[in-house]
Amino acid sequence: TAVIQILSKQWPLTAMQLYNAIKREYALSISYQAVHKALRELEKEHLVANENDVLPRLKAGVSHTQE
């Protein structure tokens, strides 16, 4: 998904920063609420960690690169 792709390249990001990156890089017609819901689902699946409203890392099993 766009959420995973953005987080694998850029982090840490707040939900709003992630939303703006998705809009900018993918030109998707998506709401902030949809991005937030996707993040909550990824948290439930233990794929992202949320610390102080910032998503600092993807959990093991999801590729992660820094540019």
Side-chain angles (χ1 to χ4, degrees), residues 16-34:
M16 183 57 76
Q17 290 169 328
L18 179 60
Y19 166 73
N20 289 330
I22 290 170
K23 296 282 281 185
R24 182 178 56 250
E25 292 187 28
Y26 294 94
L28 294 176
S29 178
I30 189 169
S31 68
Y32 172 79
Q33 289 81 5

Side-chain angles (χ1 to χ4, degrees), residues 5 7 12 34 40 46 59-60:
Q5 290 174 351
L7 287 175
R40 284 193 313 245
H46 304 288
K59 296 273 184 133

Side-chain angles (χ1 to χ4, degrees), residues 3-4 10-12 14 20-22 24-25 47 59-60 66:
V3 171
I4 296 288
Q10 305 172 35
W11 58 279
T14 64
N20 289 330
I22 290 170
R24 182 178 56 250
E25 292 187 28
L47 294 175
K59 296 273 184 133
Q66 282 221 250

